[in-house]
């Protein structure tokens, strides 16, 4: 499972809120849970997969918190497999996604969750 490849990667996990090592059973359960959600506007938090354009392989994900602080704010966090780091993948994904979400959800502010040690994401 592609999702597990970056979730159970120590280099990725050090910048995240999930535990490492990450069990395959956790990845499977998480993906099943997320597949059953209708993100907008029925849940407070959901994950969207990022696919590599040429292959369609999942290479990362973006977590979205919808108005979790009560004042039309979109909170986001993301993770990406190290093989895709430094290629502008996350920049491209967020550049496409954020205008759509902020318009559709009438969001006035976007707040990113970034580990300060992750200089490439700062």
């Amino acid at each position: 499972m592609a999702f597990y490849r970056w979730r159970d990667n120590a280099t990725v996990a050090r910048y995240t809120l999930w535990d490492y090592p990450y069990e395959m059973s956790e990845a499977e359960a998480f993906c099943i849970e997320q597949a059953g959600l209708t993100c907008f506007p029925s849940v407070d938090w959901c994950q969207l997969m990022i696919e590599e354009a040429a292959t369609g392989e999942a290479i990362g994900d973006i977590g979205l918190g919808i108005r979790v602080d009560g004042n039309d704010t979109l909170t986001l966090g993301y993770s990406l497999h190290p093989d895709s780091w430094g290629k502008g993948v996350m920049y491209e994904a967020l550049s496409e996604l954020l205008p759509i979400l902020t318009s559709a959800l009438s969001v006035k502010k976007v707040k990113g969750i970034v580990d300060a040690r992750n200089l490439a994401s700062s």
Side-chain angles (χ1 to χ4, degrees), residues 15 78 85 114-122:
Y15 297 127
Y78 51 80
W85 289 1
V114 178
D115 187 309
R117 299 170 297 163
N118 188 350
L119 298 179
S121 289
S122 298

Side-chain angles (χ1 to χ4, degrees), residues 86-121:
K87 298 178 180 178
V89 171
M90 195 58 66
Y91 177 83
E92 181 181 352
L94 292 174
S95 294
E96 294 289 326
L97 182 63
L98 289 177
I100 295 167
L101 288 177
T102 54
S103 175
L105 299 172
S106 301
V107 169
K108 295 181 177 41
K109 182 168 91 174
V110 176
K111 179 171 49 175
I113 302 169
V114 178
D115 187 309
R117 299 170 297 163
N118 188 350
L119 298 179
S121 289

